[in-house]
């Protein structure tokens, strides 16, 4: 039987939706008992949200002033001490999970599996390599704890409606003081979150300036969409780095993805492979983005975007 | 002595279109262009800049893999590293084993910083730096887009999902690089000649006493599911009408 521990990701008292998606991954493991651990200064609010996810048996809260910020070096020894009672330890493959879980795995002396995209059995999983250009089937040793991150674009969020027990645990683990948070500049906006939005409009190098990116913003507003970008647009400083979509940015699976002035390099495409409908607007008919687009429109974005917006407004 | 250790992984060049072998045993690597993992080039560039500013005296590049890794180490020396170490491993090395190997080198070299890439663009693991930091019991600052050094502390800005985060970590520490940290320099021909004379030591896994036997077994490689061919529309009206037909508007 599998006993799965999921490490909750949260901020400002809100459970990150990536946690509910990790629950769905765990639910795909036959007979799994699923617990969620919430590390915080005060975990109560987040624990309530976690306990409401269907399929969760128990929520463990670990309240400690040192857990006010999610520092991998501080959390890892605590997770490792909880892990002893579990066959599987999961976290979402977000920057939070990617930072934390390898540190946990090393403390446990086990390897880690990154980006589970499909569960074949309790020890057999599929994951992407080479920017998603190959999918490997991996067998993990059954006699050790499996530590793994979950590719959240591959799983729907678990529904609410559950009613798990919440239990506070005290851990007697020495915590390091060598790592200190100085500052966090979270770009908070009213726009939908890129990682969970059902619609995303992305701009590339062709936007040519930060000012021109307002074209992307206003189309996104019309569509109720989140904003994304290619690496070239981020490198050029048109938008902040947290909007980068792709192999080394965010992997997303919106219902609608609109790529504007993006060529479609493999590193970008791997970030959108699971999108429902991909629309490409590009002036080069040979751009590789058209090989994956469901709907392609060849032309100049500076003419197309204003027209598209007014057509949508008219409807 | 302030040393910086930099990991250089040999990977298939980022511009190569990867093909899965028809028998599912791996990806085609015969005759394919190999390169330093792009994130590791950024790591080395950062180390060189830290040295230029006087915060380090020696830069040691480390590659783990077959003899061919010497090519990438020579390139690293041509970029400006002082010395190279090749740890010979003919089979694939998982991140935990790579971290254990790097730990042995850390114990020998006592660096103040280990700079690695955030991920190898072949296996896309994103693990080694965090594992090394755990085994070494030292801080980690992953996904770095800015590094400043003062008084035994590194102030590192990190690219996280929500935006940017700044950490102070006591040295020694492990730092892993993100794309925006810097733009690596190009190697000049005279430097390639000079690099041939720089020291490159080779160690065997046995010399370090590390067991690199993999824990996971890869059963199969498969190409990703392909998307069905789409339609080209003539104009904005056509675009909107197809979107409506598909029910996504
Ligand atoms: C290690 C590594 C990791 C990477 N990770 C990522 C990643 O995570 N995400 C990512 O996106 N990239 C990533 N890249 C970069 C990737 O290889 C490409 O360089 C990048 O995606 C290109 O961005 P782009 O499409 O905006 O720019 P370009 O490739 O320059 O394309 C611009 C496109 O705009 C079109 N265009 C120009 N003017 C107009 C106009 N007026 N109207 C309409 N179309 C126009 C052009 O025809 C062209 O197709 C990575 C690269 C490396 C080496
Ligand atoms: N075989 C290797 N040789 C040298 N450095 C490595 C090796 N494997 C991993 N690394 C370092 O660890 C980083 C992260 O790799 P990974 O955890 O495999 O994604 C790489 O960018 C390298 O800096």
């Amino acid at each position: 039987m599998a006993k799965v521990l999921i490490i909750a990701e949260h901020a400002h008292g809100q459970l990150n939706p990536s946690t509910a998606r990790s629950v769905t991954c765990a639910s795909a493991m036959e007979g799994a008992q699923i617990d969620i651990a919430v590390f915080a200064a005060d975990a109560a609010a987040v624990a309530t949200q976690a306990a409401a996810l269907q399929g969760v048996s128990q929520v463990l809260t670990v309240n400690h002033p040192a857990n006010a910020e999610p520092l991998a070096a501080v959390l890892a020894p605590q997770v490792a001490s909880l892990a002893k009672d579990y066959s599987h330890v999961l976290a979402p493959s977000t920057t939070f999970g990617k930072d934390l879980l390898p540190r946990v795995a090393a403390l446990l002396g086990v390897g880690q599996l990154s980006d589970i995209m499909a569960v074949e059995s309790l020890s057999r999983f599929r994951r992407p390599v080479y920017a998603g250009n190959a999918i490997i089937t991996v067998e993990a040793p059954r006699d050790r704890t499996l530590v793994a991150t979950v590719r959240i674009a591959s799983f729907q969020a678990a529904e609410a409606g559950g009613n798990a027990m919440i239990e506070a645990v005290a851990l007697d683990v020495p915590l390091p003081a060598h790592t200190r948070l100085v500052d966090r500049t979270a770009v908070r906006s009213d726009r939908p979150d890129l990682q969970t939005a059902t619609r995303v409009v992305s701009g590339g190098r062709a936007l040519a300036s930060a000012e021109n990116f307002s074209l992307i913003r206003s189309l996104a507003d019309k569509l109720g969409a989140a904003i994304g970008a290619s690496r070239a647009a981020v490198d050029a400083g048109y938008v902040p780095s947290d909007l980068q979509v792709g192999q080394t940015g965010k992997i997303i699976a919106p219902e609608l993805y609109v790529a504007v002035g993006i060529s479609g390099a493999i590193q970008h495409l791997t970030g959108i492979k699971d999108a429902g409908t991909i629309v490409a607007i590009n002036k080069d008919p040979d751009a590789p983005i058209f090989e994956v687009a469901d709907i392609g429109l060849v032309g100049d974005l500076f003419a197309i975007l204003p027209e598209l917006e007014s057509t949508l407004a008219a409807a | 002595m302030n040393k910086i250790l930099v990991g250089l992984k040999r990977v298939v060049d980022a511009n190569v279109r990867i093909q899965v072998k028809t028998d599912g045993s791996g990806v085609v690597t015969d005759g394919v262009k190999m390169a330093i993992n792009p994130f590791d080039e950024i790591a080395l560039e950062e180390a060189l800049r830290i040295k230029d500013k006087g915060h380090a005296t020696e830069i040691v590049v480390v590659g783990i893999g077959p003899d061919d890794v010497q090519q990438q180490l020579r390139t690293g020396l041509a970029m400006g590293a002082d010395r190279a170490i090749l740890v010979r491993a003919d089979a694939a090395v998982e991140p935990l084993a790579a971290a254990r190997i790097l730990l042995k080198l850390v114990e020998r070299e006592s660096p103040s910083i280990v700079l690695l890439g955030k991920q190898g663009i072949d296996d896309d693991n994103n693990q080694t730096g965090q594992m090394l930091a755990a085994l070494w019991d030292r801080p980690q600052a992953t996904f770095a887009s800015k590094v400043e050094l003062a008084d035994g502390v590194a102030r590192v800005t990190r690219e996280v999902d929500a935006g940017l985060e700044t950490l102070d970590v006591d040295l020694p520490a492990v730092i892993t690089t993100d794309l925006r940290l810097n733009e690596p320099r190009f190697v000049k021909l005279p430097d390639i000649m000079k690099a041939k004379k720089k020291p490159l030591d080779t160690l065997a896994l046995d010399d370090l006493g590390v067991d690199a036997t993999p824990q996971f077994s890869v059963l199969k490689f498969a190409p990703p599911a392909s998307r069905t061919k789409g339609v080209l529309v003539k104009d904005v009206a056509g675009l909107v009408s197809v979107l409506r037909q598909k029910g996504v508007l």
Side-chain angles (χ1 to χ4, degrees), chain A residues 203-207 229-233 235 244-250 260-271 281-289 297-304, chain B residues 14-15 37-39 42 119 121 179-180:
Chain A
R205 193 197 308 273
L207 269 297
S230 69
R231 173 189 174 182
D235 283 2
Q244 180 175 313
V245 172
Q247 178 189 20
T248 57
K250 286 176 179 157
V260 183
I262 292 178
S263 61
I266 42 175
Q267 292 89 357
H268 188 80
L269 298 184
T270 189
I281 299 172
N282 194 305
K283 70 175 184 191
D284 172 10
D286 296 324
I289 189 78
L297 176 52
V298 178
D300 183 356
L301 73 94
F302 294 103
I304 291 171
Chain B
N15 298 309
N37 182 38
F39 289 99
I42 296 173
Q119 81 194 62
I121 60 159
L179 295 169
R180 255 71 59 180

Side-chain angles (χ1 to χ4, degrees), chain A residues 71-72 94-96 98-99 102-103 105-107 109-115 124 127-141 144 146 177-187 195 199 223 231 234-235 241-242 244 247-248 250 255-256 266-267 272-279 281 288 290-298 304 307-308 311-312 315, chain B residues 12 14-20 27 29 39 42 94-96 100 118-128 130-135 137-143 153 155 158-170 178-180 215-225 227-240 242-244 246 248-249:
Chain A
L71 299 176
T94 53
T95 52
F96 165 78
K98 288 173 183 171
D99 192 35
R103 190 157 183 132
L107 292 178
V110 299
Q112 192 224 259
L113 202 60
S114 297
D115 308 311
R124 191 169 294 186
R127 64 170 297 256
V129 292
Y130 291 97
N133 286 300
I135 308 298
I136 56 174
T137 306
V138 182
E139 179 75 26
R144 303 179 185 192
L146 177 74
H178 52 47
T179 305
R180 298 166 296 276
L181 179 78
V182 178
D183 184 28
R184 183 172 295 132
T185 45
V187 195
Q195 252 157 333
R199 294 173 174 181
L223 293 169
R231 173 189 174 182
V234 175
D235 283 2
S241 57
D242 55 292
Q244 180 175 313
Q247 178 189 20
T248 57
K250 286 176 179 157
E255 283 162 25
L256 174 64
I266 42 175
Q267 292 89 357
I272 58 170
K273 282 212 168 105
D274 298 313
T277 299
I278 298 177
V279 174
I281 299 172
F290 289 121
E291 287 165 31
V292 301
D294 299 285
I295 315 176
L297 176 52
V298 178
I304 291 171
E307 191 188 339
L308 178 55
T311 310
L312 291 172
Chain B
V12 173
N15 298 309
V16 171
R17 263 194 187 222
I18 292 295
Q19 299 290 331
V20 175
V27 302
T29 48
F39 289 99
I42 296 173
E94 291 178 350
L96 182 62
R100 286 176 168 156
K118 79 164 175 181
Q119 81 194 62
I121 60 159
D122 48 1
D123 297 326
D124 285 333
N125 275 319
N126 199 329
Q127 300 175 11
T128 307
Q130 298 88 312
M131 289 179 158
L132 171 62
L135 300 176
D137 199 13
R138 293 304 309 165
Q140 67 190 47
T142 51
F143 325 142
V153 174
R155 176 160 291 188
R158 311 175 53 229
E159 291 192 2
V160 294
D161 288 339
L164 296 175
E165 176 180 291
T166 305
L167 294 182
D168 273 351
V169 294
D170 295 340
D178 217 317
L179 295 169
R180 255 71 59 180
Q215 295 189 7
F216 295 98
S217 35
V218 179
L219 305 178
K220 188 174 91 183
F221 283 71
R227 296 183 67 97
T228 44
K229 186 103 187 85
V231 294
L232 272 187
V233 293
K234 280 203 319 289
D235 49 24
V236 168
L239 171 59
V240 172
V242 179
L243 283 172
R244 291 236 159 84
K246 285 183 169 270
V248 284
L249 269 193

Side-chain angles (χ1 to χ4, degrees), chain B residues 29-51:
Chain B
T29 48
D30 285 349
V32 162
K33 186 174 176 220
M34 303 297 284
I36 297 179
N37 182 38
F39 289 99
D40 299 350
E41 256 188 308
I42 296 173
L44 176 52
E45 176 64 38
E46 195 62 20
L48 295 170
R49 292 184 189 190
I50 290 170
K51 188 181 166 200

